Amino acid sequence: MEDEGFMRLALELAKKGEGRVNPNPMVGAVIVKDGRIIGMGYHERFGDKHAEVNAIEDAKKRGNSPKGATMYVTMEPCSHRGKQPPCADRIIREGISRVVVAMEDPNPLVNGRGIRKLKSAGVEVRVGVLEREARELNEVFIKYITTRVPFVAVKLALTLDGFIATRSFSSKWITGERARMKVQELRRRYMAVMVGANTILRDDPELTCRISGCTDKVKVILDRHGLTAGGNFRAFKEGRVLVFTESEKEWNKGEVIRETDPGKILKILGEKGIDSVLIEGGRAACQFLPFADRLHLFYGNKLFGKGISPFECLNVDRVEDAFRVDFRGFENFGDSFYVEAIPCSRE
Amino acid sequence: MEDEGFMRLALELAKKGEGRVNPNPMVGAVIVKDGRIIGMGYHERFGDKHAEVNAIEDAKKRGNSPKGATMYVTMEPCSHRGKQPPCADRIIREGISRVVVAMEDPNPLVNGRGIRKLKSAGVEVRVGVLEREARELNEVFIKYITTRVPFVAVKLALTLDGFIATRSFSSKWITGERARMKVQELRRRYMAVMVGANTILRDDPELTCRISGCTDKVKVILDRHGLTAGGNFRAFKEGRVLVFTESEKEWNKGEVIRETDPGKILKILGEKGIDSVLIEGGRAACQFLPFADRLHLFYGNKLFGKGISPFECLNVDRVEDAFRVDFRGFENFGDSFYVEAIPCSRE
């Protein structure tokens, strides 16, 4: 029980790195000696020091020696040299005598090696404390590191009767202010934002995350027919922009890739180091549904009767053949509500 | 604060009459003497004794005299002779010295007269304790007694993309078991259930309330073209059935009324003493939307992409012209969720 309490704190710390560590995992670490916390740290930004080292340095800065202490860390300490030296070695060198780990590192380069290294140096290791919570926290990292395909999240703002726009493509605003704030939070969680060309033409969005401290999003634009070529749109103003197209037209800015197959687009994004993408692009989203790991559905307090449906590419004739989801969460925003769902295999 | 506690109990008692007192209001009463509850009662069934009388008789049965006591009652005691003698007279006769009332009786035949009668007999009266709760509890009664038009509730089971059936009219089951239990609860709340002829032809529903102690529902069938005439459907088996049609065909059972205008249908139902109707009939529901007092929307964990939309009769071109609602409540059933909404005036 005591282990769980300290691990929960480590998970809280880990979460502070959200949106800044991709494609690394969020990791938090807490060092405890004689029942007292002597050091805390988390992985703050991609390329920076790991959580374990930050916690050790925090302890020392506060005049505490980690020797003989217990370290709580939300993911197995690394055993390989990446951008940072291996944490397992540092833990051993500091004389930490016990390490409690929430989950093994799913990275094939680590995957148990860090734990084995600690154990063979005589460190006591306990694995699996709040493992479910740790896996949920790092679902993006886990998918990407094991498949090299980005985590795919689809966000849609819908009327109560399932439309993203009226017949005449009017869509501002279906949901309320608080729902749109939540969308900003979602953008922080994912490394890239994807929309279709029509969204660029109609709404000219910046596709930035307006939460302070949030890193720039990679902007992915699906533009089969080259409708945005030559245009002067806000999404192209700053940051990294990728355009996927069949068109031979020229773009003034951004990287242009001649590919429009959804599966291949995702593979290319993965190869470019993009661990996650939030698809916000109305009807363009539909073709990515078979690849979706998560649906973020926002329902406004409106009915249109007829309009633009974002799921039209699904062609279900019998209820048994429906695209099914498991609900993961609900949130009530007063004038709109939010449903988080995980696509599941068909019945 | 003490008044509120006893009134809350009276409201709980009142609710026990749900589905059995229509078109009367649900009323509960609690009698308190020297800080102690000496009698409780509620209006149990249409035509039976009122809550006040039941509470007085309960007190006496338990050997307590209501003389000098305080009575808490969720609605103003009646002053007129309906199916029962006026409660105000009885309260005065019993020597009850104080009456706390949640809300005035909106019935034009009472409407303050009961309170005035009590006051002029020297009874101390306090009005308005938990008035909001009392009004919510009796929203059906309030609408009906003041307009003589039934309270109109529309219930729909929808996919996440807003369909009530696939393109081939397959619809069993869009929502889960717990959502369907909730529908039974809703049926209890309203006096009549309305469906379109197509629902009868396709699903052959009984349209009964399967909760024990629930009174029979009046079954209203909208059948413009006489599709159910001569048929042997389960809905016609028992209870009161009303068929609204344009057809000159003959029905073996039920009362046939040659009317299909939604507003006129509701007026006729009101004249027949029906205080509330739950419309469960797929696309038939749409024409009643302008008259709806409540939407009960159940969303299943499925997407169809294309299908039968229940709101097709709405023709919204601009977001500003959407049919808008205020959310009143949410309920999560695990594999489906429920949204209760109140239609509101257009922006």
Side-chain angles (χ1 to χ4, degrees):
Chain A
M1 275 313 294
E2 198 182 47
D3 281 352
E4 280 191 16
F6 290 123
M7 187 61 80
R8 207 167 292 282
L9 178 59
L11 284 166
E12 297 284 319
L13 288 166
K15 204 163 189 295
K16 290 189 176 189
E18 188 179 76
R20 289 202 286 262
V21 298
N22 309 61
N24 277 355
M26 292 172 250
V27 185
V30 172
I31 306 177
V32 175
K33 205 169 167 177
D34 304 326
R36 203 170 57 83
I37 293 169
I38 61 165
M40 295 191 287
Y42 66 98
H43 184 41
E44 294 177 15
R45 191 173 282 272
F46 178 72
D48 280 3
K49 286 177 194 161
H50 288 181
E52 297 92 323
V53 172
N54 282 331
I56 288 167
E57 291 183 354
D58 178 54
K60 291 187 166 181
K61 204 182 298 164
R62 298 202 264 160
N64 299 309
S65 160
K67 201 171 157 63
T70 295
M71 175 181 276
Y72 295 86
V73 59
T74 59
M75 192 176 281
E76 174 183 4
C78 63
S79 57
H80 67 300
R81 176 168 290 273
K83 284 195 188 294
Q84 295 289 333
C87 292
D89 293 351
R90 179 70 184 270
I91 288 168
I92 295 164
R93 205 163 63 238
E94 296 287 352
I96 287 173
S97 56
R98 183 170 178 252
V99 175
V100 180
V101 169
M103 64 177 286
E104 283 192 9
D105 188 342
N107 185 345
L109 292 175
V110 187
N111 208 222
R113 281 188 195 84
I115 289 167
R116 283 198 294 278
K117 193 177 243 187
L118 291 171
K119 281 184 176 169
S120 58
V123 177
E124 184 193 335
V125 182
R126 182 184 175 194
V127 183
V129 174
L130 300 186
E131 176 163 353
R132 193 177 55 80
E133 289 83 347
R135 290 195 166 272
E136 266 184 25
L137 179 70
N138 274 312
E139 58 186 8
V140 162
F141 173 74
I142 294 168
K143 157 110 190 249
Y144 181 60
I145 203 74
T146 56
T147 66
R148 289 289 160 191
V149 174
F151 187 94
V152 178
V154 173
K155 172 244 141 183
L156 292 163
L158 300 157
T159 61
L160 291 172
D161 48 353
F163 298 109
I164 55 171
T166 68
R167 291 174 298 174
S168 49
F169 293 96
S170 155
S171 67
K172 276 188 191 284
W173 294 102
I174 286 174
T175 52
E177 190 60 43
R178 284 176 62 201
R180 302 204 292 275
M181 293 267 291
K182 175 84 181 180
V183 173
Q184 293 293 319
E185 260 181 60
L186 293 180
R187 280 192 186 164
R188 173 167 62 180
R189 224 188 268 182
Y190 305 107
M191 203 166 160
V193 172
M194 183 191 282
V195 297
N198 284 321
T199 301
I200 298 289
L201 294 178
R202 264 195 309 269
D203 299 342
D204 195 13
E206 292 191 66
L207 299 180
T208 51
C209 175
R210 285 182 286 276
I211 294 175
S212 82
C214 185
T215 52
D216 285 350
K217 300 293 116 183
V218 178
K219 301 163 185 184
V220 182
I221 297 165
L222 303 181
D223 187 2
R224 186 181 296 267
H225 306 296
L227 303 175
T228 65
N232 185 26
F233 300 103
R234 293 198 280 182
F236 288 84
K237 262 189 195 158
E238 52 184 37
R240 188 171 168 200
V241 184
L242 303 175
V243 180
F244 288 92
T245 187
E246 274 172 8
S247 161
E248 294 302 321
K249 290 183 193 159
E250 297 291 334
W251 272 258
N252 305 326
K253 285 178 179 171
E255 184 181 349
V256 179
I257 302 152
R258 313 284 163 187
E259 180 59 72
T260 57
D261 175 79
K264 289 183 182 152
I265 288 174
L266 291 175
K267 200 161 167 287
I268 292 167
L269 292 177
E271 283 160 7
K272 290 180 178 294
I274 293 166
D275 68 358
S276 53
V277 57
L278 179 65
I279 303 179
E280 298 197 45
R283 275 191 294 189
C286 205
Q287 44 184 321
F288 286 89
L289 270 186
F291 305 96
D293 298 295
R294 190 63 36 91
L295 300 183
H296 299 289
L297 306 177
F298 295 84
Y299 288 88
N301 56 351
K302 299 173 184 69
L303 295 168
F304 286 168
K306 293 195 182 82
I308 310 298
S309 166
F311 301 110
E312 270 169 10
C313 69
L314 297 174
N315 275 315
V316 175
D317 264 317
R318 304 180 313 157
V319 175
E320 309 87 87
D321 299 327
F323 185 94
R324 286 177 58 240
V325 303
D326 285 330
F327 293 123
R328 181 158 162 187
F330 295 88
E331 215 169 321
N332 176 359
F333 296 125
D335 62 357
S336 36
F337 62 94
Y338 165 66
V339 179
E340 185 173 354
I342 303 176
C344 55
S345 51
R346 301 197 168 194
E347 270 168 359
Chain B
M1 276 313 293
E2 196 183 49
D3 280 351
E4 279 191 16
F6 291 123
M7 188 60 83
R8 207 166 291 283
L9 177 59
L11 285 166
E12 297 284 320
L13 288 167
K15 205 163 188 289
K16 290 190 176 189
E18 188 179 77
R20 287 203 287 262
V21 299
N22 308 61
N24 276 357
M26 289 173 256
V27 185
V30 172
I31 305 176
V32 174
K33 204 169 168 178
D34 302 325
R36 201 170 58 83
I37 293 170
I38 60 164
M40 295 191 286
Y42 66 98
H43 184 40
E44 295 177 15
R45 190 172 281 274
F46 178 72
D48 280 1
K49 285 175 192 162
H50 288 181
E52 298 92 323
V53 172
N54 281 330
I56 289 168
E57 291 183 355
D58 178 54
K60 291 188 167 179
K61 203 184 300 167
R62 297 203 264 157
N64 300 309
S65 161
K67 200 168 157 67
T70 296
M71 175 182 277
Y72 295 86
V73 58
T74 59
M75 191 175 281
E76 174 184 4
C78 62
S79 58
H80 66 302
R81 177 167 289 273
K83 284 194 187 294
Q84 295 289 334
C87 292
D89 294 351
R90 179 71 186 267
I91 288 168
I92 295 165
R93 207 164 61 235
E94 296 288 349
I96 288 173
S97 57
R98 182 170 178 253
V99 176
V100 180
V101 169
M103 63 177 284
E104 283 192 10
D105 188 340
N107 185 344
L109 292 175
V110 187
N111 209 222
R113 283 190 193 84
I115 290 166
R116 283 199 293 279
K117 193 178 244 188
L118 290 173
K119 282 186 176 167
S120 59
V123 179
E124 183 193 336
V125 181
R126 182 183 175 196
V127 183
V129 173
L130 301 186
E131 177 162 353
R132 193 177 55 79
E133 289 84 347
R135 289 193 168 275
E136 267 184 24
L137 180 71
N138 275 311
E139 58 186 9
V140 162
F141 173 75
I142 295 168
K143 158 110 189 250
Y144 182 61
I145 203 75
T146 55
T147 66
R148 288 290 159 186
V149 173
F151 188 93
V152 177
V154 173
K155 172 246 143 183
L156 292 163
L158 299 157
T159 62
L160 290 171
D161 47 354
F163 299 109
I164 54 169
T166 68
R167 289 174 300 172
S168 50
F169 292 98
S170 153
S171 66
K172 279 191 189 282
W173 291 103
I174 286 174
T175 53
E177 188 60 40
R178 283 175 62 200
R180 300 203 294 275
M181 292 267 292
K182 176 84 179 180
V183 173
Q184 293 293 320
E185 260 181 61
L186 294 180
R187 280 192 187 164
R188 174 166 60 181
R189 225 188 271 179
Y190 304 108
M191 202 165 160
V193 172
M194 184 191 282
V195 297
N198 285 319
T199 301
I200 298 289
L201 295 178
R202 265 196 309 271
D203 300 341
D204 194 14
E206 291 191 65
L207 300 179
T208 51
C209 176
R210 284 184 288 276
I211 293 176
S212 81
C214 185
T215 53
D216 286 351
K217 299 293 117 180
V218 177
K219 301 162 183 184
V220 181
I221 297 165
L222 304 179
D223 187 1
R224 188 181 295 268
H225 305 297
L227 302 175
T228 64
N232 186 24
F233 300 101
R234 292 199 279 183
F236 288 84
K237 263 189 196 157
E238 53 184 38
R240 188 170 168 199
V241 185
L242 303 175
V243 179
F244 287 92
T245 187
E246 275 174 7
S247 160
E248 294 302 322
K249 288 185 195 159
E250 296 293 331
W251 272 258
N252 307 325
K253 285 175 180 173
E255 185 181 351
V256 180
I257 302 153
R258 315 285 163 187
E259 181 59 72
T260 57
D261 176 78
K264 288 185 184 150
I265 288 173
L266 292 174
K267 200 160 167 288
I268 292 169
L269 292 178
E271 284 162 7
K272 289 179 179 296
I274 294 166
D275 68 0
S276 53
V277 57
L278 178 65
I279 303 178
E280 298 197 46
R283 275 191 294 189
C286 205
Q287 44 182 323
F288 285 89
L289 271 184
F291 305 96
D293 298 294
R294 190 63 38 90
L295 300 183
H296 300 289
L297 306 178
F298 294 85
Y299 288 88
N301 57 349
K302 299 173 183 70
L303 295 168
F304 287 167
K306 294 195 181 85
I308 311 299
S309 166
F311 301 110
E312 269 169 10
C313 69
L314 297 174
N315 276 316
V316 174
D317 264 317
R318 305 179 314 158
V319 174
E320 310 88 87
D321 299 327
F323 185 94
R324 285 178 59 240
V325 303
D326 284 331
F327 294 123
R328 177 154 166 190
F330 295 89
E331 214 169 324
N332 177 359
F333 296 125
D335 61 358
S336 36
F337 62 94
Y338 164 68
V339 179
E340 186 173 351
I342 302 176
C344 54
S345 51
R346 303 197 167 196
E347 268 166 2

